[in-house]
Amino acid sequence: MSRGASFARVVVAYLVAFGGATLWLVAGPDTRWLWLDGLIADLIATLVVFAASRLHHNSSCYDPYWSVLPPFLAGYWALAADPGGDGTRTALVLVVIAVWAVRLTANWAISFPGLHHEDWRYPLLRERAGRHELAVDLMAIHVIPTLQVFLGLLPVYVAVTRPGRPVGWLDVLAFVVGIGAVLLELVADGQMRRFARDRRPGEVMDRGLWGWSRHPNYFGEISFWCALALFGIAASPADWWWCLPGAAAMVALFLGASIPMMEQRSLERRPGYADVVARVPRLVPRPPRWQRPQRPAVRG
């Protein structure tokens, strides 16, 4: 299947998924809680995308969901909230989410080779599950990431639905952190894309931002979700317990799962990556360690 045909199929799947989610939000029974309405719509869309993943035997159909869902849900909460949060804060939150979503979705679209390709982690998870691969595909690859993103969006729910608290310095900090995170990811994307195009066999990336952090894109992603948490706390400090778990879950995801899997794969496939591990920080950017070149042994 060509890249264009694959792209069209993914787009159709998402139109059906978010069409079903919108139908629920517009015509479904009222749960009395906007956050619960959003969660049900989120799960409906996830199940449609899961059906598309099974139809095409490719769980990478789910990959763009991470970036497409947040603006949809944040926009719904902002429109449906009555009376809603501070207008300026709501605008700042939606701008940060929109900029982030455009960058991440565009990066997926540029890198998308077609439905003949699947993220290497998904077959690995299904193979390890054996006869339970359907349940693992549904829960581990589709539903659990959906719930994690929803948890990360709860501060947005707080920010756009809690009225009365004016915009302050914490909102400004959240906006700067959020936009800065997107810019960092954008630069890291471009540097990695150029490296992948020009690299020699066995060469490892340790240039630009990737010379200051082995995973600058993940650092930017964590920073984005932390920015959303700051927006929620700025809107309603008493609701901090809504706001912090999502950011904490994102930190746990990247430090406990995504980074270890990527590191192990790189060490197995690229012998030179061990040198990068020794010199370059794992996540938080800082100058790499300087290593004194070893002198050849003198034989007497």
Side-chain angles (χ1 to χ4, degrees):
M1 186 185 303
S2 69
R3 182 177 184 273
S6 298
F7 192 84
R9 293 194 181 201
V10 173
V11 170
V12 169
Y14 276 75
L15 289 175
V16 174
F18 283 90
T22 302
L23 183 63
W24 164 266
L25 294 174
V26 172
D30 186 3
T31 68
R32 295 171 47 197
W33 296 292
L34 286 179
W35 67 265
L36 183 55
D37 292 332
L39 176 58
I40 295 172
D42 194 357
L43 291 172
I44 289 171
T46 299
L47 291 176
V48 174
V49 174
F50 171 70
S53 294
R54 301 299 293 188
L55 177 65
H56 294 99
H57 307 287
N58 191 328
S59 296
S60 281
C61 286
Y62 182 79
D63 287 351
Y65 195 85
W66 184 283
S67 60
V68 174
L69 182 277
F72 172 83
L73 208 52
Y76 164 69
W77 284 333
L79 291 173
D82 184 18
D86 180 272
T88 301
R89 176 180 294 113
T90 296
L92 292 176
V93 173
L94 293 181
V95 166
V96 169
I97 292 175
V99 172
W100 169 84
V102 168
R103 184 216 64 87
L104 189 52
T105 307
N107 187 58
W108 167 80
I110 292 170
S111 306
F112 179 61
L115 287 173
H116 62 275
H117 172 80
E118 185 178 28
D119 188 301
W120 61 271
R121 290 168 290 192
Y122 301 153
L124 183 63
L125 288 172
R126 292 196 301 267
E127 289 170 8
R128 288 176 177 174
R131 62 179 180 173
H132 303 295
E133 67 88 16
L134 176 64
V136 167
D137 194 6
L138 172 62
M139 297 305 299
I141 299 177
H142 291 80
V143 173
I144 290 177
T146 285
L147 295 176
Q148 188 147 23
V149 170
F150 185 84
L151 190 63
L153 286 174
L154 285 180
V156 176
Y157 173 78
V158 172
V160 303
T161 62
R162 296 291 191 268
R165 190 175 180 86
V167 170
W169 66 269
L170 194 54
D171 296 281
V172 175
L173 176 62
F175 184 80
V176 170
V177 171
I179 295 298
V182 176
L183 292 176
L184 186 148
E185 290 180 293
L186 185 64
V187 173
D189 289 344
Q191 291 176 345
M192 180 56 76
R193 199 172 291 117
R194 288 190 295 272
F195 171 78
R197 182 190 61 208
D198 302 330
R199 69 180 172 186
R200 299 182 298 274
E203 189 177 11
V204 293
M205 177 55 154
D206 60 353
R207 308 169 191 168
L209 290 174
W210 301 84
W212 286 55
S213 168
R214 303 201 299 273
H215 303 280
N217 51 338
Y218 289 162
F219 178 76
E221 192 68 13
I222 289 172
S223 299
F224 165 76
W225 294 102
C226 288
L228 298 188
L230 292 176
F231 273 123
I233 294 172
S236 181
D239 288 313
W240 62 268
W241 57 276
W242 282 72
C243 304
L244 295 181
M250 291 297 174
V251 173
L253 169 67
F254 288 109
L255 290 181
S258 298
I259 290 178
M261 290 182 74
M262 294 296 293
E263 298 257 282
Q264 184 62 36
R265 181 174 171 84
S266 294
L267 288 169
E268 292 172 355
R269 292 161 57 93
R270 300 177 180 90
Y273 191 71
D275 176 65
V276 175
V277 170
R279 293 185 293 105
V280 179
R282 188 184 195 194
L283 182 65
V284 180
R286 65 167 175 76
R289 297 185 184 92
W290 179 77
Q291 287 188 325
R292 178 180 297 176
Q294 295 182 353
R295 294 182 179 181
V298 178
R299 296 181 179 178

